[in-house]
Amino acid sequence: MLKGKTALVTGSTSGIGLGIARQLAAQGANIILNGFGDADAPRAEVLQAGSAHGIRVGYHGADMSKPADIVDLFKFAESEYGVVDILVNNAGIQHVANVEDFPVEKWDAVIAINLSSAFHTTRLAVPGMRAKNWGRIINLASAHGLVASAGKSAYVAAKHGLVGLTKSVALETATTGVTCNAICPGWVLTPLVQKQIEARAEKGGISVEQAQKELLGEKQPSLQFVTPEQLGDLAVFLCSPGASNVRGVAWNVDGGWVAQ
Ligand code: NAD
């Protein structure tokens, strides 16, 4: 379905981004990976997922908190792959502290990576998408793009901002073949959440298993983690012809979190 298209997935060396990259690759898209840490193992996984289609998989290590790195990433994407047809804004970090104790540099980092990076990638991607009259922008927001939790002011502000950016870009492109939508996951068991489970276990003097149960029980009525594969399936749907008039939605995949 996506043969001949190129997808850039930010923050795809791990977790949800890697899951989405795998699923888009399985549909035949070429993939540009991005993120920190080892890139060889994720690259091999994604190549394998797209092996039936003979896809290309590239990597660029742009730090998404740095606008100049993002410009470089797009120069790389355009010279190696032509237009970025599918942009998945996924890179994200978390920091938990009450607002009066929130380190200023952490606030700046969360806003830069979780929100401003999506502005920079989108402003660079849209002209090429408009020229081809086809494009998909998928922003990984969160249940925290729709409701708040204590201790997460920067993350909640950034994710609500990302949902707002999604709606604006969807309106600006509404008469074109370019769509922009957000996916709002509940808890997904990735390194980002594992850290929060471990911190909870340590703080409460409980086992990691117990902390995991409490974390789910508090917010996610299904009592089950959402998986990167499920989010990848939704991303694939948003890239399909059936979704060509889905515009500006913030689609929660959250085991019932925001239905409460
Ligand atoms: P993760 O920690 O597993 O992966 C984050 C990815 O982003 C990694 O590849 C990391 O290298 C990359 N990254 C971090 N900082 C970066 C930077 N400055 N520049 C480039 N890459 C950077 O996290 P995840 O859970 O897979 O989260 C992915 C996205 O999904 C995030 O935006 C997160 O907020 C969102 N999300 C996660 C959950 C969850 O429960 N895990 C829930 C809702 C939303």
Side-chain angles (χ1 to χ4, degrees):
M1 179 182 92
L2 299 177
K3 209 162 169 54
K5 309 271 193 225
T6 294
L8 165 61
V9 186
T10 70
S12 46
T13 49
S14 162
I16 295 169
L18 179 54
I20 290 177
R22 270 199 311 261
Q23 231 98 325
L24 295 176
Q27 296 297 319
N30 296 320
I31 305 289
I32 303 170
L33 297 170
N34 157 261
F36 296 149
D38 169 42
D40 291 341
R43 195 163 177 276
E45 254 185 64
V46 174
L47 264 176
Q48 173 61 30
S51 59
H53 305 283
I55 62 161
R56 293 171 64 200
V57 180
Y59 168 77
H60 190 285
D63 178 339
M64 299 307 290
S65 69
K66 300 195 169 130
D69 278 23
I70 299 173
V71 169
D72 250 25
L73 166 61
F74 269 76
K75 279 190 188 142
F76 165 80
E78 278 158 19
S79 70
E80 295 289 319
Y81 294 83
V83 165
V84 171
D85 302 287
I86 300 165
L87 168 64
V88 183
N89 288 309
N90 167 80
I93 58 167
Q94 176 62 283
H95 186 81
V96 182
N98 282 344
V99 69
E100 65 272 31
D101 303 320
F102 214 91
V104 171
E105 65 282 5
K106 288 287 184 198
W107 171 276
D108 289 343
V110 171
I111 299 297
I113 298 164
N114 296 19
L115 175 59
S116 300
S117 75
F119 157 68
H120 290 290
T121 54
T122 302
R123 80 185 170 80
L124 294 167
V126 163
M129 292 177 175
R130 278 192 193 276
K132 278 177 97 175
N133 198 32
W134 196 93
R136 294 289 184 267
I137 302 170
I138 300 173
N139 293 326
L140 262 292
S142 167
H144 283 123
L146 302 168
V147 294
S149 291
K152 296 187 174 172
S153 55
Y155 190 87
V156 168
K159 295 298 188 182
H160 275 67
L162 189 56
V163 169
L165 174 68
T166 303
K167 292 178 185 173
S168 273
V169 174
L171 292 180
E172 290 175 17
T173 53
T175 59
T176 75
V178 181
T179 70
C180 180
N181 292 290
I183 296 178
C184 296
W187 293 122
V188 186
L189 191 54
T190 65
L192 181 139
V193 165
Q194 188 61 31
K195 272 187 228 153
Q196 294 174 63
I197 293 171
E198 284 163 14
R200 192 183 183 112
E202 198 178 317
K203 194 172 167 200
I206 54 175
S207 68
V208 168
E209 214 174 35
Q210 184 59 27
Q212 190 169 304
K213 271 196 192 137
E214 286 181 15
L215 182 103
L216 285 171
E218 200 174 83
K219 301 277 186 189
Q220 198 143 304
S222 66
L223 303 178
Q224 284 176 340
F225 286 105
V226 173
T227 66
E229 291 69 30
Q230 290 164 344
L231 300 173
D233 284 347
L234 178 52
V236 167
F237 170 68
L238 289 172
C239 292
S240 73
S244 56
N245 223 0
V246 178
R247 298 176 185 273
V249 304
W251 193 326
N252 41 311
V253 185
D254 62 358
W257 181 325
V258 307
Q260 297 168 96

